[in-house]
């Protein structure tokens, strides 16, 4: 499941990053109990850095340490989803107001083509993997944030990237409604190309509310 990275990071940082990546990618899910011994074996290190990594993740509310049991992956509550999507919507809508002027038509068209291909494959009965769909979703929203002119907004969003990715993967699994989601993304891309800020703001807000409602109904 996990492999160490050949970097100069400390062992505890390597363990932290690898476990966090596994959480975001759905390799570790809510309800799982993480064993220090098993993780240490998979990562090829002692239990001490793994223990430090688990404590760090617990301090960030990803895990809960249970004495005599291990580290427990906390389920996502409806309040967690509501809070994150509320902030995400506010920030990304604000980002879009300046990003529309720096995102190129080619960047928009490339993403639109990939969403259209996904929609065609779906119509032909070829379902994308959750990881591919979530990555394509992520690329669109990251494009908006990274092209905005507010550097403080970018920092805030980057600090929440792990949580957002985790929710995106769960969102796909919760709704499994590829067609509606893809059509919404294509509409957002079309409005980006038109530089229609009022309509884009409305479309983004409706998209985030839609995704959040699906997730809240499954927790």
């Amino acid at each position: 499941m996990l492999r160490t990275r050949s970097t100069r990071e400390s062992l505890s940082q390597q363990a932290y990053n690898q476990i966090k990546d596994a959480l975001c990618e759905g390799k570790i899910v809510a309800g799982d109990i993480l064993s220090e011994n098993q993780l240490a074996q998979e990562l090829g290190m002692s239990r001490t850095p793994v223990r430090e990594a688990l404590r760090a993740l617990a301090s960030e509310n990803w895990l809960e340490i249970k004495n005599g049991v291990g580290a427990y992956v906390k389920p996502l509550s409806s309040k967690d989803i509501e809070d994150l999507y509320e902030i995400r919507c506010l920030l990304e809508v604000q980002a879009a107001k300046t990003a529309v002027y720096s995102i190129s038509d080619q960047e928009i068209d490339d993403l639109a083509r990939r969403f259209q291909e996904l929609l065609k494959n779906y119509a032909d009965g070829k379902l994308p993997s959750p990881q591919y769909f979530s990555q394509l979703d992520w690329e669109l929203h990251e494009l908006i944030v990274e092209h905005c002119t507010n550097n403080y907004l970018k920092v805030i969003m980057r600090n929440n990237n792990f949580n957002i990715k985790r929710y995106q993967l769960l969102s796909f699994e919760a709704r499994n409604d590829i067609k509606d989601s893809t059509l919404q993304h294509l509409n957002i891309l079309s409005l980006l190309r038109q530089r229609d800020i009022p309509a884009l703001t409305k479309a983004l807000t409706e998209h985030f509310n839609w995704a959040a409602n699906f997730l809240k109904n499954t927790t």
Side-chain angles (χ1 to χ4, degrees):
M1 179 176 63
L2 305 177
R3 294 184 179 179
T4 54
R5 296 173 175 177
S6 56
T7 71
R8 294 183 179 178
E9 296 173 338
S10 68
L11 289 176
S12 60
Q13 187 65 42
Q14 286 185 37
Y16 170 90
N17 288 334
Q18 289 288 69
I19 297 168
K20 201 168 187 179
D21 285 347
L23 282 163
C24 294
E25 294 166 6
K27 297 175 182 177
I28 299 174
V29 298
D32 283 352
I33 301 294
L34 304 184
S35 162
E36 288 182 10
N37 286 332
Q38 182 178 346
L39 288 171
Q41 184 176 5
E42 291 177 0
L43 292 169
M45 60 180 67
S46 69
R47 290 175 55 188
T48 299
V50 170
R51 186 180 303 116
E52 291 172 354
L54 294 177
R55 286 175 178 168
L57 289 164
S59 71
E60 296 173 6
N61 212 33
W62 287 79
L63 307 173
E64 181 177 344
I65 306 296
K66 291 189 173 183
N67 292 333
V69 178
Y72 170 75
V73 181
K74 297 181 68 174
L76 302 169
S77 70
S78 294
K79 185 63 166 59
D80 291 332
I81 294 166
E82 183 179 346
D83 289 350
L84 182 62
Y85 269 82
E86 180 181 5
I87 294 301
R88 186 184 178 196
C89 181
L90 289 170
L91 292 175
E92 192 163 322
V93 165
Q94 183 62 36
K97 294 176 181 178
T98 56
V100 293
Y101 301 112
S102 58
I103 299 175
S104 70
D105 288 347
Q106 182 177 344
E107 288 174 303
I108 295 169
D109 292 345
D110 285 346
L111 267 177
R113 174 184 51 78
R114 291 166 64 194
F115 273 110
Q116 287 163 353
E117 287 177 354
L118 187 151
L119 195 61
K120 181 181 182 301
N121 289 335
Y122 176 75
D124 293 338
K126 302 173 184 176
L127 299 181
S129 69
Q131 290 76 17
Y132 177 77
F133 189 85
S134 296
Q135 178 59 33
L136 193 55
D137 182 339
W138 177 256
E139 287 182 33
L140 168 55
H141 295 289
E142 188 174 43
L143 183 72
I144 294 172
V145 172
E146 290 304 313
H147 279 78
C148 82
T149 59
N150 189 321
N151 289 327
Y152 288 100
L153 188 155
K154 292 179 186 178
V155 170
I156 294 170
M157 290 296 287
R158 287 169 188 160
N159 287 341
N160 282 286
N161 280 354
F162 279 106
N163 272 323
I164 292 171
K165 286 184 178 181
R166 186 184 181 195
Y167 284 120
Q168 280 183 318
L169 185 61
L170 286 174
S171 179
F172 174 91
E173 295 174 346
R175 65 175 182 262
N176 198 23
D177 198 339
I178 299 167
K179 183 178 179 180
D180 282 354
S181 181
T182 301
L183 289 173
Q184 288 180 36
H185 285 101
L186 285 169
N187 182 47
I188 291 169
L189 286 164
S190 176
L191 296 172
L192 277 171
R193 206 177 196 287
Q194 297 171 44
R195 323 299 174 190
D196 188 339
I197 294 176
L200 177 60
T201 295
K202 183 173 183 292
L204 282 170
T205 301
E206 290 176 349
H207 173 67
F208 286 128
N209 289 339
W210 177 79
N213 284 333
F214 268 104
L215 278 172
K216 289 192 316 188
N217 290 334
T218 62
T219 57

